[in-house]
Amino acid sequence: MYAILDIETTGGKFNEEGITEIAIYKFDGQTIIDQFISLVNPEREIQPFVVNLTGINSSMLRTAPKFYEVAKRIVEITEDCIIVAHNAEFDYRILRTEFSRLGFDFKRKTLCTVELAQEIMPEQESYSLGKLTRALGIPVGDRHRASGDAIATVKLFKLLLAKDLNKHIIQDAVKAEPKYQMATNLKSMIDGLPSSTGVFYFHDTYGKIIYIGKSKNIRNRVNQHFTSTNPKSKKMQKQVAAVTFEVTGNELVALLKESAEIKLNKPSFNRAMRRSNFTHALYRFTDDNGYINLKIDHIDGRKKAITTFSNYQSGKQFMFKAIENYELCPKLVGLDTSKTSCFKYHIDECKGACIKEESPADYNLRIQELILNNSYENRDLLIIDKGRALDERSVLLIENGVFKGLGYYDLNFQIINKKVLESIITPMEDNKDAWHIIKSYLRKNKQVKIIELNK
């Protein structure tokens, strides 16, 4: 659990500053579950440059509560939380200074979004909150006021969590959990899980990830793991101490994240998933008569595949649909072994490529259309799908036929801006597993939006 906060102060000499405004948002990694926002009477003068920067002046604070009047609420909302702030060292020092004036030793673990951003996004030109949020397309309202800056920090932190494929942030957070808060039974772990699409993580008592999974319904899938009696599940049930999750908004992002994060984190119970999950592919060759033939065959790393399939049957189903949609000859795609004309020619559903009645040029045009629709070589495009909220969309970036990564954007923001687009994208490895996931998903989900980018 995180307490994401921002503090405005009077300015002045080191350790003599006072708080003029504080905003704290309690964040569970997905949503804000509690908040506290208040002006504070600092009982000291505000520096003129601070008044100009924040707009907060002494007359506004005359009737505001003094720090001792809000101290209890601050302790309560930050209890058992990691404090997150942009330049956390400053905000935490100011809080500890105010509490020490009351004779209270305020201690919390802290995370700094400046340091996290520098580690996760080293390519950024500036790490100031204003410039960073602008570069990432994060809308900010009420800048230099506690609530506006704290909300911007929540959005930034959420983006950093999504970009952290190594899961260092959540593993450290689980490790920091007081041991008495660790779930004592499996049922209590399930209670806080959503029935949403996403990725989930099983942690041991040291916070280490021991299993990564994905589901259209996280809660149900975790429940299946916890109630299964097979040897692997029973062993996992004994070792799991906490469950965390990341809602993804759609299955495509969940599949890609699961695949990439298993490769990076190598959880002990995910050994099977480290191998490729496809066995067959569609290949092309040109016969002696000039016709482009298609063939479903076992994966061969030496050959260039048009698309891949989980098994041979899946490939056959794809080809049956392709025959109908592109008016292809079953014989030239390996699904008819006749010595002369194919069966479909006799019922007027084949134009005769199998017996050279249709010219190679005409037939190959339709084959090329199929290949273009199932291959992304040399193409620049965006794949848009549902996001984690109604006002958000997910985006996959393909550049020159290379899968660059994925991210999320606010519907109010223009993602065609290449610099912003590159900033919000979490870089991912362009590999055969990723392309199998992308192509398989697009074959099954025709509603997904694809935007071609201008070269």
Side-chain angles (χ1 to χ4, degrees), residues 275-440:
R275 297 189 293 272
S276 294
N277 56 358
F278 51 93
T279 60
H280 288 74
L282 183 65
Y283 298 105
R284 58 174 285 178
F285 67 92
T286 304
D287 65 21
D288 294 339
N289 298 314
Y291 295 94
I292 297 173
N293 285 230
L294 300 177
K295 185 183 181 185
I296 301 159
D297 208 345
H298 287 284
I299 287 286
D300 185 340
R302 296 165 299 177
K303 298 180 189 173
K304 195 167 190 178
I306 296 167
T307 191
T308 53
F309 307 101
S310 300
N311 50 54
Y312 179 69
Q313 198 56 39
S314 173
K316 271 181 74 174
Q317 290 303 317
F318 171 83
M319 283 316 308
F320 283 133
K321 287 179 185 173
I323 288 168
E324 299 298 325
N325 295 337
Y326 296 92
E327 299 180 282
L328 303 182
C329 173
K331 194 172 174 183
L332 299 189
V333 298
L335 295 182
D336 190 317
T337 56
S338 305
K339 297 290 184 188
T340 55
S341 57
C342 69
F343 171 74
K344 279 191 173 283
Y345 176 77
H346 297 292
I347 57 172
D348 295 326
E349 289 183 10
C350 171
K351 296 184 179 183
C354 45
I355 52 172
K356 294 184 273 189
E357 273 190 18
E358 182 181 21
S359 72
D362 289 343
Y363 181 77
N364 290 350
L365 276 175
R366 298 197 301 281
I367 287 281
Q368 293 288 7
E369 186 185 355
L370 179 147
I371 293 169
L372 179 66
N373 289 340
N374 289 277
S375 172
Y376 299 92
E377 195 174 345
N378 302 321
R379 291 169 73 183
D380 289 354
L381 49 87
L382 305 177
I383 300 171
I384 311 293
D385 206 350
K386 290 181 290 187
R388 299 161 296 186
L390 289 173
D391 60 350
E392 183 183 73
R393 293 290 180 271
S394 69
V395 55
L396 271 65
L397 175 62
I398 314 292
E399 274 187 351
N400 201 28
V402 175
F403 170 53
K404 305 299 283 188
L406 58 86
Y408 295 93
Y409 69 95
D410 192 295
L411 283 179
N412 298 320
F413 218 84
Q414 183 61 264
I415 57 155
I416 303 302
N417 181 321
K418 196 165 189 296
K419 204 166 184 181
V420 171
L421 182 60
E422 287 172 350
S423 294
I424 65 171
I425 290 294
T426 300
M428 290 179 122
E429 187 184 345
D430 177 71
N431 57 43
K432 290 176 181 177
D433 288 319
W435 275 112
H436 173 69
I437 289 167
I438 294 166
K439 290 178 179 181
S440 298

Side-chain angles (χ1 to χ4, degrees), residues 81-357:
C81 287
I82 296 171
I83 285 179
V84 179
H86 205 68
N87 190 7
E89 186 180 352
F90 171 79
D91 295 80
Y92 186 53
R93 176 180 67 79
I94 296 294
L95 264 182
R96 280 181 58 80
T97 300
E98 287 281 19
F99 274 108
S100 69
R101 290 171 186 153
L102 302 178
F104 183 80
D105 188 19
F106 181 81
K107 283 186 178 178
R108 299 286 185 269
K109 289 188 177 293
T110 62
L111 263 180
C112 179
T113 50
V114 175
E115 292 173 6
L116 286 174
Q118 287 170 337
E119 181 186 334
I120 294 171
M121 299 181 289
E123 75 285 352
Q124 290 299 318
E125 292 176 8
S126 170
Y127 295 93
S128 72
L129 187 61
K131 289 180 180 176
L132 190 56
T133 50
R134 190 158 53 248
L136 297 170
I138 297 172
V140 182
D142 226 2
R143 185 78 177 90
H144 297 300
R145 291 294 299 268
S147 179
D149 285 359
I151 278 288
T153 306
V154 170
K155 291 175 180 175
L156 172 61
F157 186 60
K158 194 172 182 179
L159 187 145
L160 291 168
L161 283 171
K163 279 179 170 279
D164 181 25
L165 295 179
N166 290 299
K167 297 298 155 193
H168 290 153
I169 301 172
I170 61 166
Q171 290 188 85
D172 288 345
V174 171
K175 200 187 300 181
E177 284 275 311
K179 290 293 180 260
Y180 69 81
Q181 277 200 345
M182 288 286 193
T184 52
N185 60 68
L186 301 175
K187 185 182 181 302
S188 62
M189 291 189 213
I190 295 166
D191 289 342
L193 299 177
S195 301
S196 312
T197 301
V199 185
F200 57 88
Y201 311 90
F202 291 172
H203 302 258
D204 63 16
T205 51
Y206 301 100
K208 186 180 178 183
I209 294 172
I210 58 172
Y211 181 76
I212 298 174
K214 72 90 204 161
S215 179
K216 289 182 180 178
N217 186 320
I218 292 171
R219 187 187 179 95
N220 282 356
R221 188 72 189 101
V222 172
N223 188 48
Q224 287 169 4
H225 280 296
F226 285 176
T227 53
S228 174
T229 56
N230 71 55
K232 178 185 169 183
S233 293
K234 287 174 83 171
K235 191 176 178 184
M236 200 154 54
Q237 289 158 19
K238 287 177 183 175
Q239 292 186 31
V240 64
V243 180
T244 59
F245 62 91
E246 184 180 338
V247 172
T248 59
N250 64 73
E251 196 180 11
L252 177 57
V253 173
L255 286 162
L256 288 167
K257 273 186 163 287
E258 178 195 37
S259 176
E261 289 171 0
I262 286 171
K263 286 181 175 66
L264 282 169
N265 292 281
K266 298 179 173 57
S268 54
F269 287 97
N270 280 108
R271 286 196 182 92
M273 268 291 289
R274 293 179 208 166
R275 297 189 293 272
S276 294
N277 56 358
F278 51 93
T279 60
H280 288 74
L282 183 65
Y283 298 105
R284 58 174 285 178
F285 67 92
T286 304
D287 65 21
D288 294 339
N289 298 314
Y291 295 94
I292 297 173
N293 285 230
L294 300 177
K295 185 183 181 185
I296 301 159
D297 208 345
H298 287 284
I299 287 286
D300 185 340
R302 296 165 299 177
K303 298 180 189 173
K304 195 167 190 178
I306 296 167
T307 191
T308 53
F309 307 101
S310 300
N311 50 54
Y312 179 69
Q313 198 56 39
S314 173
K316 271 181 74 174
Q317 290 303 317
F318 171 83
M319 283 316 308
F320 283 133
K321 287 179 185 173
I323 288 168
E324 299 298 325
N325 295 337
Y326 296 92
E327 299 180 282
L328 303 182
C329 173
K331 194 172 174 183
L332 299 189
V333 298
L335 295 182
D336 190 317
T337 56
S338 305
K339 297 290 184 188
T340 55
S341 57
C342 69
F343 171 74
K344 279 191 173 283
Y345 176 77
H346 297 292
I347 57 172
D348 295 326
E349 289 183 10
C350 171
K351 296 184 179 183
C354 45
I355 52 172
K356 294 184 273 189
E357 273 190 18

